[in-house]
Amino acid sequence: MTHPSDPGLSVILSERRRLTNLAYRLLGSLADAEDVVQETCARWYAMSPAQREAVDSPGAWLTTVASRICLDLLGSARARRERYVGEWIPEPLPDRTEWTAGRPGAGTVDPADRVTLDESVNMAFLVVLDAMTPAERVAFVLHDVFRYPFPEVAEIVGRTPAACRQLAVSARRRVRTARPDVVPAARRAGVVRAFKQAWEARDIDALIGLLAPDATATGDGGGLVTAALHPVVGAEQVARFFAERPAAAPGVTLVERTVNGQPGLVAQRDGVTVSVMAFEVTGDRIAHIWAVLNPAKLHPWTAG
């Protein structure tokens, strides 16, 4: 994109990262987020120079357009999900950083140098966002995560500021209900590492001891690779599920990697990532495991 005489070019370039951050949280897919940013920029340059000069705040214009594109995509995503084979899990952010106990992602740049890590991108948070209505999700992310005032949110969502405030309240309630206790990073890392070791040893008793009684494991194969079509529920059932699938399968290496800002595990075969696992730890136990196996969602973990 070369428009050296365009005074808005520097704004576009400076806004791309923020727009990608916003769109990823709204859509749960880095690939879709980057498509949205491309479409937003294309719409900016589809305007005449005079139209662009008439825009008081290019940054606000870009945010409005990107958010509305996301809102439309979230609406159509419902129909796509109904055709999706098995469970759908948000696309994990590519990050090749190994974590050490207590300091996941220490000294790293942002995943793919595009998305800023904070609690609003951890897998548990994204899964809660995914259960919201499109309007709830957009209102909540814009206001609570990116601090947009409700009158601006209302312009984007197409509802009154009061209605947007109610959407955010409803979304906040969902997040509060689903949010686990805050667990120190060192303890989270220790629990995930213990799970890795117990899995490699196929020690069912040790696995059960690391899992909350009502633990769940959800796999996303997208119909392209083998994965459980429904979540596995209960400590013993989850432990047996993993013990029956050896971590050290021929040619497979299990490595500690940061997944959406949290300690996670990545399975690699011949340098290709075949599974990315995110964990939610409450207390000293694992409450949720999300395993993304769909190759379409894992390509960025191998590429580059």
Side-chain angles (χ1 to χ4, degrees), residues 21-275:
N21 273 273
L22 172 64
Y24 176 74
R25 286 161 175 81
L26 288 178
L27 301 174
S29 165
L30 187 57
D32 288 348
E34 290 177 330
D35 287 346
V36 165
V37 175
Q38 283 298 110
E39 172 64 19
T40 301
C41 293
R43 292 190 188 183
W44 171 262
Y45 283 110
M47 294 193 295
S48 68
Q51 287 174 318
R52 292 199 295 272
E53 286 174 18
V55 175
D56 289 334
S57 171
W61 187 94
L62 293 165
T63 297
T64 298
V65 171
S67 299
R68 285 176 177 165
I69 295 172
C70 288
L71 192 57
D72 289 342
L73 286 174
L74 286 169
S76 61
R78 303 244 154 181
R80 292 200 309 274
R81 299 282 174 80
E82 288 173 7
R83 298 191 298 272
Y84 196 82
V85 178
E87 298 291 320
W88 190 94
I89 297 174
E91 179 186 310
L93 288 170
D95 193 334
R96 295 162 192 83
T97 308
E98 290 189 47
W99 47 266
T100 56
R103 296 190 68 204
T108 180
V109 295
D110 292 334
D113 198 31
R114 290 192 289 273
V115 176
T116 306
L117 294 175
D118 61 34
E119 72 162 5
S120 68
V121 295
N122 74 46
M123 193 60 75
F125 192 88
L126 290 175
V127 168
V128 175
L129 289 180
D130 202 55
M132 297 179 185
T133 67
E136 262 184 336
R137 186 169 185 167
V138 172
F140 175 77
V141 170
L142 283 171
H143 181 265
D144 282 42
V145 179
F146 287 87
R147 303 301 177 193
Y148 282 85
F150 282 118
E152 290 183 25
V153 175
E155 283 283 316
I156 291 168
V157 179
R159 304 196 186 189
T160 65
C164 289
R165 185 176 285 106
Q166 281 306 113
L167 287 170
V169 167
S170 171
R172 213 171 291 135
R173 193 177 300 121
R174 287 180 187 246
V175 170
R176 198 177 302 120
T177 300
R179 180 173 290 166
D181 298 332
V182 176
V183 177
R187 191 187 305 168
R188 280 200 306 268
V191 172
V192 174
R193 177 167 290 147
F195 177 88
K196 174 179 179 283
Q197 293 167 346
W199 186 17
E200 289 173 332
R202 302 178 78 171
D203 186 336
I204 289 181
D205 289 338
L207 287 169
I208 291 173
L210 289 164
L211 294 161
D214 58 350
T216 63
T218 305
D220 176 348
L224 301 174
V225 297
T226 303
L229 291 177
H230 304 287
V232 181
V233 182
E236 184 172 347
Q237 289 82 355
V238 172
R240 292 192 181 281
F241 180 85
F242 278 92
E244 289 167 4
R245 289 155 181 77
V252 174
T253 306
L254 198 61
V255 295
E256 298 172 350
R257 288 286 184 271
T258 301
V259 179
N260 286 56
Q262 306 274 2
L265 298 174
V266 172
Q268 299 174 335
R269 182 185 292 116
D270 300 325
V272 176
T273 296
V274 294
S275 176

